[in-house]
């Protein structure tokens, strides 16, 4: 099925996700290595606890990484209840008024969570389609 719209392509290592542009509120650069917190996979930027930015880095399987990858130089902030946390990426591309051919993922590959239900081909590579609400529904956004 072909769809036209505005999308954001997010890349971290071999993970490529396509989300609706309306899900992303901003993108910025990481100017220093985020610090670890007491909770595995959650990092913070900044020293002031009240103003520190919570940062997550995902693996290619969409699990939180225990150590922060040095090649993650971009942050995205999202709409909705996850807006206080940012995800770290290697590349972020905005696709304005793009017409993409969406292909349904076979049921056996979808898994029980319904996280990803389709894929598209962009620049001869696959990107998996999701929304921020599906990707991060219960993400804890405050460090210990």
């Amino acid at each position: 099925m072909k769809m036209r719209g505005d999308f954001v392509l997010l890349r971290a290592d071999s993970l490529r996700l396509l989300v609706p542009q309306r899900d992303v509120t901003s993108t910025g650069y990481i100017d220093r290595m985020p610090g670890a917190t007491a909770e595995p996979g959650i990092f913070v930027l900044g020293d002031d606890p009240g103003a520190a930015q919570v940062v997550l880095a995902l693996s290619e399987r969409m699990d939180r990484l225990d150590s922060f990858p040095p090649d993650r130089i971009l942050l995205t902030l999202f709409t909705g209840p996850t807006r206080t946390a940012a995800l770290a990426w290697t590349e972020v591309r905005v696709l304005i008024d793009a017409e993409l051919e969406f292909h349904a993922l076979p049921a056996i590959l979808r898994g029980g969570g319904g996280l990803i239900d389709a894929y598209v081909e962009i620049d001869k590579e696959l990107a998996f389609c999701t929304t921020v609400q599906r990707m991060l529904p219960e993400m804890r956004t405050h460090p210990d």
Side-chain angles (χ1 to χ4, degrees):
M1 157 178 75
K2 285 192 179 187
M3 288 183 61
R4 181 173 290 281
D6 301 333
F7 303 95
V8 177
L9 180 64
L10 306 165
R11 185 175 66 82
D13 299 323
S14 63
L15 176 64
R16 289 170 45 103
L17 298 176
L18 186 74
V19 299
Q21 191 275 329
R22 68 179 177 275
D23 286 359
V24 179
T25 60
S26 66
T27 298
Y29 287 98
I30 298 174
D31 58 357
R32 60 185 153 161
M33 185 66 75
T37 66
E39 189 167 341
I42 295 184
F43 307 90
V44 291
L45 276 174
D47 300 324
D48 180 8
Q53 174 64 62
V54 175
V55 179
L56 299 167
L58 300 178
S59 74
E60 60 213 16
R61 298 180 64 91
M62 296 183 69
D63 298 318
R64 292 182 193 169
L65 293 172
D66 290 332
S67 60
F68 197 85
D71 67 339
R72 305 288 174 90
I73 58 170
L74 298 166
L75 292 178
T76 53
L77 287 169
F78 301 104
T79 59
T82 60
R83 68 182 175 274
T84 58
L87 281 171
W89 306 98
T90 308
E91 178 185 10
V92 175
R93 282 178 49 197
V94 179
L95 307 172
I96 302 296
D97 196 33
E99 184 174 12
L100 300 171
E101 180 79 31
F102 283 71
H103 304 277
L105 216 60
I108 190 122
L109 297 177
R110 284 187 215 152
L115 179 63
I116 302 207
D117 58 3
Y119 67 92
V120 297
E121 185 178 326
I122 300 173
D123 299 332
K124 298 184 181 182
E125 293 185 298
L126 297 182
F128 295 103
C129 306
T130 190
T131 64
V132 172
Q133 291 73 29
R134 282 189 289 169
M135 184 170 56
L136 305 171
E138 299 172 13
M139 182 178 71
R140 186 164 165 215
T141 58
H142 299 288
D144 290 335

